[in-house]
mmCIF file of all heavy atoms in Angstrom:
data_model
loop_
_atom_site.group_PDB
_atom_site.id
_atom_site.type_symbol
_atom_site.label_atom_id
_atom_site.label_comp_id
_atom_site.label_asym_id
_atom_site.label_seq_id
_atom_site.Cartn_x
_atom_site.Cartn_y
_atom_site.Cartn_z
ATOM 1 N N ARG A 122 1.797 -6.455 23.405
ATOM 2 C CA ARG A 122 1.390 -5.128 23.035
ATOM 3 C C ARG A 122 1.347 -4.857 21.537
ATOM 4 O O ARG A 122 0.984 -3.806 21.104
ATOM 5 C CB ARG A 122 2.367 -4.089 23.633
ATOM 6 C CG ARG A 122 3.687 -4.061 23.257
ATOM 7 C CD ARG A 122 4.577 -3.031 23.891
ATOM 8 N NE ARG A 122 4.827 -3.474 25.287
ATOM 9 C CZ ARG A 122 6.032 -3.673 25.775
ATOM 10 N NH1 ARG A 122 7.056 -3.435 25.105
ATOM 11 N NH2 ARG A 122 6.120 -3.925 27.095
ATOM 12 N N MET A 123 1.783 -5.878 20.791
ATOM 13 C CA MET A 123 1.966 -5.548 19.371
ATOM 14 C C MET A 123 0.551 -5.299 18.707
ATOM 15 O O MET A 123 0.373 -4.310 17.967
ATOM 16 C CB MET A 123 2.478 -6.793 18.572
ATOM 17 C CG MET A 123 2.449 -6.666 17.066
ATOM 18 S SD MET A 123 3.281 -7.990 16.087
ATOM 19 C CE MET A 123 4.880 -7.112 15.718
ATOM 20 N N ALA A 124 -0.440 -6.055 19.094
ATOM 21 C CA ALA A 124 -1.845 -5.887 18.439
ATOM 22 C C ALA A 124 -2.318 -4.491 18.665
ATOM 23 O O ALA A 124 -2.739 -3.811 17.638
ATOM 24 C CB ALA A 124 -2.774 -6.970 18.862
ATOM 25 N N PRO A 125 -2.480 -3.986 19.959
ATOM 26 C CA PRO A 125 -3.000 -2.716 20.055
ATOM 27 C C PRO A 125 -2.094 -1.547 19.581
ATOM 28 O O PRO A 125 -2.587 -0.582 19.007
ATOM 29 C CB PRO A 125 -3.138 -2.556 21.621
ATOM 30 C CG PRO A 125 -2.216 -3.549 22.193
ATOM 31 C CD PRO A 125 -2.231 -4.664 21.138
ATOM 32 N N MET A 126 -0.812 -1.831 19.600
ATOM 33 C CA MET A 126 0.104 -0.684 19.143
ATOM 34 C C MET A 126 0.012 -0.495 17.656
ATOM 35 O O MET A 126 0.001 0.671 17.177
ATOM 36 C CB MET A 126 1.552 -0.959 19.607
ATOM 37 C CG MET A 126 1.784 -0.761 21.117
ATOM 38 S SD MET A 126 3.562 -0.694 21.595
ATOM 39 C CE MET A 126 3.942 0.942 21.054
ATOM 40 N N VAL A 127 0.063 -1.653 16.935
ATOM 41 C CA VAL A 127 -0.081 -1.543 15.386
ATOM 42 C C VAL A 127 -1.343 -1.028 15.006
ATOM 43 O O VAL A 127 -1.433 -0.302 14.004
ATOM 44 C CB VAL A 127 0.403 -2.782 14.720
ATOM 45 C CG1 VAL A 127 1.869 -3.131 15.106
ATOM 46 C CG2 VAL A 127 -0.557 -3.893 15.021
ATOM 47 N N LEU A 128 -2.356 -1.373 15.669
ATOM 48 C CA LEU A 128 -3.717 -0.923 15.373
ATOM 49 C C LEU A 128 -3.803 0.593 15.466
ATOM 50 O O LEU A 128 -4.211 1.246 14.566
ATOM 51 C CB LEU A 128 -4.737 -1.596 16.220
ATOM 52 C CG LEU A 128 -6.255 -1.317 15.875
ATOM 53 C CD1 LEU A 128 -7.156 -2.523 16.256
ATOM 54 C CD2 LEU A 128 -6.817 0.000 16.610
ATOM 55 N N VAL A 129 -3.410 1.114 16.672
ATOM 56 C CA VAL A 129 -3.487 2.557 16.840
ATOM 57 C C VAL A 129 -2.589 3.309 15.997
ATOM 58 O O VAL A 129 -2.903 4.356 15.416
ATOM 59 C CB VAL A 129 -3.256 2.804 18.306
ATOM 60 C CG1 VAL A 129 -3.227 4.325 18.551
ATOM 61 C CG2 VAL A 129 -4.301 2.245 19.332
ATOM 62 N N GLY A 130 -1.326 2.780 15.870
ATOM 63 C CA GLY A 130 -0.356 3.451 14.930
ATOM 64 C C GLY A 130 -0.728 3.569 13.572
ATOM 65 O O GLY A 130 -0.577 4.610 13.001
ATOM 66 N N THR A 131 -1.351 2.454 13.065
ATOM 67 C CA THR A 131 -1.832 2.508 11.691
ATOM 68 C C THR A 131 -3.005 3.501 11.441
ATOM 69 O O THR A 131 -3.046 4.181 10.407
ATOM 70 C CB THR A 131 -2.201 1.110 11.194
ATOM 71 O OG1 THR A 131 -1.106 0.262 11.428
ATOM 72 C CG2 THR A 131 -2.636 1.039 9.715
ATOM 73 N N VAL A 132 -3.979 3.404 12.350
ATOM 74 C CA VAL A 132 -5.052 4.339 12.290
ATOM 75 C C VAL A 132 -4.666 5.871 12.339
ATOM 76 O O VAL A 132 -5.095 6.645 11.473
ATOM 77 C CB VAL A 132 -6.103 4.072 13.363
ATOM 78 C CG1 VAL A 132 -7.220 5.200 13.407
ATOM 79 C CG2 VAL A 132 -6.708 2.705 13.193
ATOM 80 N N LEU A 133 -3.630 6.141 13.133
ATOM 81 C CA LEU A 133 -3.150 7.448 13.280
ATOM 82 C C LEU A 133 -2.297 7.841 11.936
ATOM 83 O O LEU A 133 -2.475 9.045 11.489
ATOM 84 C CB LEU A 133 -2.238 7.593 14.523
ATOM 85 C CG LEU A 133 -2.952 7.559 15.823
ATOM 86 C CD1 LEU A 133 -1.864 7.643 16.989
ATOM 87 C CD2 LEU A 133 -3.866 8.767 15.928
ATOM 88 N N THR A 134 -1.613 6.933 11.405
ATOM 89 C CA THR A 134 -0.966 7.162 10.210
ATOM 90 C C THR A 134 -1.924 7.586 9.015
ATOM 91 O O THR A 134 -1.720 8.565 8.305
ATOM 92 C CB THR A 134 -0.208 5.939 9.642
ATOM 93 O OG1 THR A 134 0.889 5.592 10.620
ATOM 94 C CG2 THR A 134 0.402 6.088 8.266
ATOM 95 N N HIS A 135 -3.074 6.845 9.019
ATOM 96 C CA HIS A 135 -4.069 7.230 7.994
ATOM 97 C C HIS A 135 -4.840 8.487 8.287
ATOM 98 O O HIS A 135 -5.198 9.204 7.397
ATOM 99 C CB HIS A 135 -5.064 5.999 7.843
ATOM 100 C CG HIS A 135 -4.530 4.851 7.028
ATOM 101 N ND1 HIS A 135 -4.575 4.796 5.728
ATOM 102 C CD2 HIS A 135 -3.823 3.712 7.464
ATOM 103 C CE1 HIS A 135 -3.963 3.634 5.283
ATOM 104 N NE2 HIS A 135 -3.507 3.004 6.412
ATOM 105 N N LEU A 136 -5.110 8.696 9.552
ATOM 106 C CA LEU A 136 -5.863 9.901 10.002
ATOM 107 C C LEU A 136 -5.044 11.178 9.546
ATOM 108 O O LEU A 136 -5.621 12.123 9.048
ATOM 109 C CB LEU A 136 -5.964 9.866 11.511
ATOM 110 C CG LEU A 136 -6.626 11.180 12.106
ATOM 111 C CD1 LEU A 136 -8.019 11.357 11.636
ATOM 112 C CD2 LEU A 136 -6.467 11.056 13.637
ATOM 113 N N PHE A 137 -3.703 11.143 9.668
ATOM 114 C CA PHE A 137 -2.903 12.306 9.399
ATOM 115 C C PHE A 137 -2.409 12.348 7.922
ATOM 116 O O PHE A 137 -1.708 13.260 7.562
ATOM 117 C CB PHE A 137 -1.817 12.426 10.378
ATOM 118 C CG PHE A 137 -2.201 12.809 11.805
ATOM 119 C CD1 PHE A 137 -2.385 11.791 12.707
ATOM 120 C CD2 PHE A 137 -2.530 14.042 12.209
ATOM 121 C CE1 PHE A 137 -2.704 12.042 14.005
ATOM 122 C CE2 PHE A 137 -3.005 14.304 13.465
ATOM 123 C CZ PHE A 137 -3.087 13.389 14.395
ATOM 124 N N GLY A 138 -2.717 11.289 7.130
ATOM 125 C CA GLY A 138 -2.410 11.414 5.686
ATOM 126 C C GLY A 138 -1.317 10.619 5.231
ATOM 127 O O GLY A 138 -0.899 10.733 4.033
ATOM 128 N N GLY A 139 -0.722 9.692 6.011
ATOM 129 C CA GLY A 139 0.317 8.820 5.476
ATOM 130 C C GLY A 139 -0.199 7.888 4.483
ATOM 131 O O GLY A 139 -1.385 7.420 4.468
ATOM 132 N N SER A 140 0.587 7.433 3.498
ATOM 133 C CA SER A 140 0.299 6.560 2.447
ATOM 134 C C SER A 140 0.747 5.195 2.835
ATOM 135 O O SER A 140 1.884 4.865 2.811
ATOM 136 C CB SER A 140 0.902 6.982 1.172
ATOM 137 O OG SER A 140 0.687 5.977 0.112
ATOM 138 N N ALA A 141 -0.293 4.365 3.330
ATOM 139 C CA ALA A 141 0.072 3.005 3.773
ATOM 140 C C ALA A 141 -1.118 2.109 3.536
ATOM 141 O O ALA A 141 -2.185 2.575 3.131
ATOM 142 C CB ALA A 141 0.476 3.052 5.271
ATOM 143 N N GLY A 142 -0.958 0.811 3.876
ATOM 144 C CA GLY A 142 -2.046 -0.167 3.678
ATOM 145 C C GLY A 142 -2.533 -0.664 4.981
ATOM 146 O O GLY A 142 -2.425 0.021 6.030
ATOM 147 N N ARG A 143 -3.131 -1.869 4.922
ATOM 148 C CA ARG A 143 -3.685 -2.418 6.173
ATOM 149 C C ARG A 143 -3.411 -3.824 6.371
ATOM 150 O O ARG A 143 -3.605 -4.437 7.370
ATOM 151 C CB ARG A 143 -5.267 -2.267 6.027
ATOM 152 C CG ARG A 143 -5.860 -2.813 4.727
ATOM 153 C CD ARG A 143 -7.216 -2.320 4.531
ATOM 154 N NE ARG A 143 -7.732 -2.761 3.259
ATOM 155 C CZ ARG A 143 -8.953 -2.525 2.785
ATOM 156 N NH1 ARG A 143 -9.771 -1.793 3.507
ATOM 157 N NH2 ARG A 143 -9.367 -2.912 1.658
ATOM 158 N N GLU A 144 -2.805 -4.519 5.428
ATOM 159 C CA GLU A 144 -2.417 -5.956 5.552
ATOM 160 C C GLU A 144 -1.366 -6.207 6.471
ATOM 161 O O GLU A 144 -1.493 -7.140 7.298
ATOM 162 C CB GLU A 144 -1.864 -6.489 4.078
ATOM 163 C CG GLU A 144 -0.832 -7.512 4.189
ATOM 164 C CD GLU A 144 0.673 -6.949 4.280
ATOM 165 O OE1 GLU A 144 0.792 -5.746 3.907
ATOM 166 O OE2 GLU A 144 1.453 -7.571 4.812
ATOM 167 N N GLY A 145 -0.395 -5.356 6.545
ATOM 168 C CA GLY A 145 0.723 -5.498 7.620
ATOM 169 C C GLY A 145 0.107 -5.520 8.990
ATOM 170 O O GLY A 145 0.421 -6.384 9.900
ATOM 171 N N THR A 146 -0.857 -4.547 9.237
ATOM 172 C CA THR A 146 -1.384 -4.481 10.571
ATOM 173 C C THR A 146 -2.267 -5.613 10.821
ATOM 174 O O THR A 146 -2.263 -6.243 11.980
ATOM 175 C CB THR A 146 -2.268 -3.123 10.625
ATOM 176 O OG1 THR A 146 -1.412 -2.049 10.343
ATOM 177 C CG2 THR A 146 -2.817 -2.988 11.952
ATOM 178 N N ALA A 147 -3.098 -6.121 9.943
ATOM 179 C CA ALA A 147 -4.043 -7.255 10.134
ATOM 180 C C ALA A 147 -3.096 -8.581 10.381
ATOM 181 O O ALA A 147 -3.465 -9.335 11.324
ATOM 182 C CB ALA A 147 -4.892 -7.434 8.980
ATOM 183 N N VAL A 148 -2.003 -8.766 9.631
ATOM 184 C CA VAL A 148 -1.177 -9.905 9.811
ATOM 185 C C VAL A 148 -0.497 -9.872 11.210
ATOM 186 O O VAL A 148 -0.437 -10.866 11.931
ATOM 187 C CB VAL A 148 -0.136 -9.926 8.671
ATOM 188 C CG1 VAL A 148 0.946 -10.958 8.997
ATOM 189 C CG2 VAL A 148 -0.905 -10.394 7.349
ATOM 190 N N GLN A 149 0.014 -8.743 11.517
ATOM 191 C CA GLN A 149 0.602 -8.475 12.778
ATOM 192 C C GLN A 149 -0.262 -8.663 14.032
ATOM 193 O O GLN A 149 0.042 -9.428 14.982
ATOM 194 C CB GLN A 149 1.281 -7.257 12.925
ATOM 195 C CG GLN A 149 2.544 -7.028 11.991
ATOM 196 C CD GLN A 149 2.910 -5.593 11.779
ATOM 197 O OE1 GLN A 149 3.013 -4.801 12.693
ATOM 198 N NE2 GLN A 149 3.158 -5.196 10.495
ATOM 199 N N MET A 150 -1.589 -8.197 13.870
ATOM 200 C CA MET A 150 -2.516 -8.408 14.926
ATOM 201 C C MET A 150 -2.830 -9.863 15.102
ATOM 202 O O MET A 150 -3.005 -10.446 16.100
ATOM 203 C CB MET A 150 -3.732 -7.552 14.684
ATOM 204 C CG MET A 150 -3.610 -6.052 14.871
ATOM 205 S SD MET A 150 -5.173 -5.202 15.010
ATOM 206 C CE MET A 150 -5.874 -5.482 13.376
#
Side-chain angles (χ1 to χ4, degrees):
R122 66 178 72 120
M123 172 174 263
M126 287 193 76
V127 297
L128 187 151
V129 173
T131 304
V132 171
L133 290 177
T134 295
H135 285 273
L136 174 65
F137 291 97
S140 175
R143 50 194 175 182
E144 146 274 338
T146 303
V148 165
Q149 291 163 43
M150 289 194 300

